[in-house]
Amino acid sequence: MARNNYRNRNEENDGLFRPKQRDTRRRKKRNPIKGIEYIDYTNIKLLQRFLNDQGKILPRRITGVNAKQQRSITQAVKYARHLALLPFVAEDMR
């Protein structure tokens, strides 16, 4: 006699709750700065792509850049903020 438990996969519906299997495959994000070797702090248009509307730096999982590029983006944004090329806080937050 077969026992009704969640480990018994032979029976189609035995009336017990089974947690859904999550799809663990991740889509690879396209690297937005693939051809660029040096992230320049004066290239404000490029740096603004990596900031949200509040002026915060977006994380890697959102932007799709690798770790080395994220570090150089962070350094460039901080240097541009220090030179007043980028705001520390967005205008609508003041």
Side-chain angles (χ1 to χ4, degrees):
M1 181 176 221
R3 295 186 74 184
N4 288 335
N5 60 15
Y6 69 95
R7 290 185 185 95
N8 189 1
R9 304 274 183 197
N10 295 333
E11 297 179 21
E12 288 188 22
N13 187 5
D14 55 5
L16 293 175
F17 172 75
R18 290 186 183 138
K20 289 185 178 180
Q21 295 287 331
R22 286 181 44 178
D23 188 16
T24 57
R25 293 177 291 165
R26 289 188 176 188
R27 287 190 305 167
K28 184 157 183 160
K29 291 183 182 165
R30 204 171 62 80
N31 193 337
I33 53 174
K34 186 155 189 138
I36 301 172
E37 290 183 20
Y38 177 70
I39 313 271
D40 193 17
Y41 66 92
T42 59
N43 192 353
I44 302 303
K45 188 166 265 189
L46 175 70
L47 293 178
Q48 284 179 340
R49 290 173 51 191
F50 300 101
L51 302 175
N52 66 3
D53 56 346
Q54 294 177 344
K56 295 180 181 179
I57 301 172
L58 292 172
R60 282 180 54 204
R61 61 184 165 78
I62 305 266
T63 59
V65 297
N66 60 30
K68 186 176 181 180
Q69 291 169 336
Q70 181 72 20
R71 286 192 298 270
S72 62
I73 287 169
T74 302
Q75 289 293 347
V77 166
K78 289 179 180 181
Y79 195 60
R81 284 176 178 165
H82 186 69
L83 294 175
L85 299 174
L86 285 174
F88 281 95
V89 182
E91 290 293 325
D92 57 335
M93 294 299 292
R94 288 182 185 177

